[in-house]
Amino acid sequence: MKQNHSKPEPDNLESRELLPIGEVSLLTGVNAVTLRAWQRRFGLVIPARTPKGHRLYTPENIQQIHEINAWLAKGVAISKVKPLLMSSALVTEVDCTPLQESDLWLEQITALNSALFELDQHKLHQILDEALGLYPFQLVKQQLLLAWITQLTPLLEPRLDAELLLAWLESELASRTGGRASFAGQASLAQIGLVQLPSTLGQKTAEQFSGHSSMFNSSMTNRLYSLVLRLELAELRVSVVNLGVLDTDSLGLINNRLKVDALLLLPEANHPASKQTELQSVLEQMAQACYLIGPFAPTLTALSGFMAPELSELIGQLTAAKEQQKKRQRNQKNSTAELVQGEQVYER
């Protein structure tokens, strides 16, 4: 059965619930840039337009976005989605596409490795721009970014230039997140401090890790994961204060000094019970909300109460709390003004 995905007629829009592109992005998890790319390049999700040209999305549009997300999650390439939306009879194409899409992600990972090892700035950003422009961030995160860093650690470990490559990659991805500081003219929703917690062996350079391969892997994995984390926070319109590697004692020195909405802590492996107890004592005294995140966070079992929820959920909680605080401040200011005004009237 064919579905009607044509552009809605203006005469039929007045009585319908229409949403602007920003609200649709929050509702579906597909950012505005990607929605525009789907429409422009593949003729997908055609919205209505206001007289001034702003996009307005109908319930049918939103349902179509959910359907597209479902196909993408199954491994279908975005370029092959439109025929599947138009007909449910293409079983053969559906069956063969996931393998093709899996190959696509593997090709992208290989290309990213090549760009990194060659220090090819243009190639690196071209691959990331293409992926982040055409696919929802969470899909890119799972299928490309996390898959890439998982296989990258053992590739970097034996290389003499591992530290050089990591530093270059950190610089390039930091330039991407730094370039989004204005969030397309929108204010940031929150500000997060990002801290990497070293293992009990302490902070070491790549040369010092000789004979401690597992510790080197832990540190490198965390550094790579922090890059993905910063990209995700930028996607969520969160500005980041990157504090690098701090031990437990140094972490305590942040208290009541750094004005951020929360701290995200990325622990490395090998935190024995005594160190977890020490860390818990510091976290309980922090003025900022502190959350453990990353691949090794679940190993700190004594600190389960500090585990971070999904980032989108966390940022939603922080944003709601800030709005409530602003509301209380406005009410307090208004109450003070009314009190002063009342006193002035009484004096007259």
Side-chain angles (χ1 to χ4, degrees):
M1 178 183 296
K2 291 188 177 182
Q3 301 179 23
N4 182 13
H5 297 299
S6 59
K7 183 176 178 179
E9 293 295 332
D11 294 341
N12 298 329
L13 296 177
E14 293 183 1
S15 61
R16 310 181 70 185
E17 183 180 358
L18 303 176
L19 295 177
I21 194 168
E23 291 186 30
V24 173
S25 178
L26 291 174
L27 185 64
T28 63
V30 182
N31 66 40
V33 172
T34 300
L35 288 173
R36 295 189 189 102
W38 286 358
Q39 178 185 351
R40 183 178 65 255
R41 295 181 58 175
F42 306 107
L44 294 169
V45 194
I46 310 299
R49 296 274 188 168
T50 67
K52 293 185 178 181
H54 299 298
R55 290 172 170 84
L56 291 175
Y57 291 81
T58 66
E60 289 80 8
N61 291 145
I62 295 170
Q63 177 59 34
Q64 187 184 29
I65 295 171
H66 288 313
E67 291 178 17
I68 293 171
N69 281 338
W71 285 117
L72 297 180
K74 293 177 181 178
V76 178
I78 185 62
S79 59
K80 301 179 184 300
V81 165
K82 190 172 184 178
L84 304 179
L85 297 176
M86 301 300 292
S87 173
S88 60
L90 302 177
V91 178
T92 302
E93 183 173 351
V94 177
D95 289 342
C96 70
T97 307
L99 178 59
Q100 296 170 354
E101 182 69 355
S102 176
D103 292 342
L104 171 63
W105 292 120
L106 290 176
E107 289 173 4
Q108 296 301 300
I109 290 173
T110 301
L112 284 172
N113 284 336
S114 175
L116 174 62
F117 297 146
E118 296 168 10
L119 302 182
D120 190 331
Q121 180 187 55
H122 175 74
K123 185 176 182 180
L124 176 74
H125 291 291
Q126 184 180 44
I127 296 166
L128 294 175
D129 287 342
E130 180 76 7
L132 294 171
L134 292 182
Y135 294 91
F137 182 86
Q138 288 302 318
L139 185 65
V140 176
K141 175 185 174 182
Q142 294 298 327
Q143 298 294 333
L144 181 61
L145 298 176
L146 292 181
W148 179 37
I149 67 172
T150 297
Q151 70 157 239
L152 191 56
T153 297
L155 291 177
L156 287 175
E157 182 187 354
R159 295 181 65 108
L160 295 177
D161 61 350
E163 186 61 34
L164 166 65
L165 294 173
L166 271 174
W168 180 82
L169 183 59
E170 287 173 332
S171 175
E172 290 303 316
L173 295 189
S175 72
R176 291 183 67 88
T177 56
R180 296 184 181 191
S182 61
F183 306 112
Q186 297 176 304
S188 65
L189 296 178
Q191 187 173 51
I192 295 289
L194 187 60
V195 176
Q196 296 181 54
L197 298 175
S199 70
T200 53
L201 292 182
Q203 186 179 1
K204 294 176 180 287
T205 64
E207 292 80 7
Q208 289 174 310
F209 273 113
S210 177
H212 298 284
S213 176
S214 63
M215 297 309 304
F216 180 48
N217 285 346
S218 170
S219 176
M220 183 182 295
T221 298
N222 249 19
R223 288 177 67 181
L224 292 170
Y225 181 85
S226 72
L227 298 178
V228 177
L229 182 58
R230 291 167 68 181
L231 286 175
E232 184 171 6
L233 289 169
E235 185 73 17
L236 293 169
R237 284 175 50 198
V238 173
S239 58
V240 175
V241 180
N242 185 26
L243 298 171
V245 181
L246 297 177
D247 59 24
T248 303
D249 293 335
S250 299
L251 181 63
L253 298 177
I254 297 175
N255 199 18
N256 289 314
R257 298 176 67 187
L258 185 65
K259 304 303 181 184
V260 294
D261 298 303
L263 288 173
L264 287 180
L265 312 174
L266 284 78
E268 292 179 10
N270 295 292
H271 280 78
S274 60
K275 289 297 180 180
Q276 293 185 47
T277 301
E278 181 182 342
L279 179 57
Q280 180 177 2
S281 177
V282 171
L283 295 182
E284 289 174 345
Q285 298 177 46
M286 297 292 288
Q288 303 90 349
C290 298
Y291 300 94
L292 296 170
I293 196 169
F296 303 111
T299 66
L300 278 65
T301 54
L303 298 172
S304 58
F306 291 94
M307 297 299 165
E310 290 291 329
L311 276 182
S312 57
E313 179 184 346
L314 174 60
I315 302 309
Q317 293 172 358
L318 294 176
T319 303
K322 291 178 69 174
E323 287 300 319
Q324 287 295 324
Q325 183 179 13
K326 289 179 181 179
K327 184 177 180 179
R328 286 193 298 269
Q329 291 173 344
R330 286 195 300 267
N331 290 339
Q332 184 177 8
K333 183 178 181 180
N334 292 338
S335 298
T336 302
E338 290 174 0
L339 180 61
V340 171
Q341 185 178 12
E343 291 176 349
Q344 291 174 345
V345 171
Y346 176 76
E347 290 175 358
R348 292 175 187 170

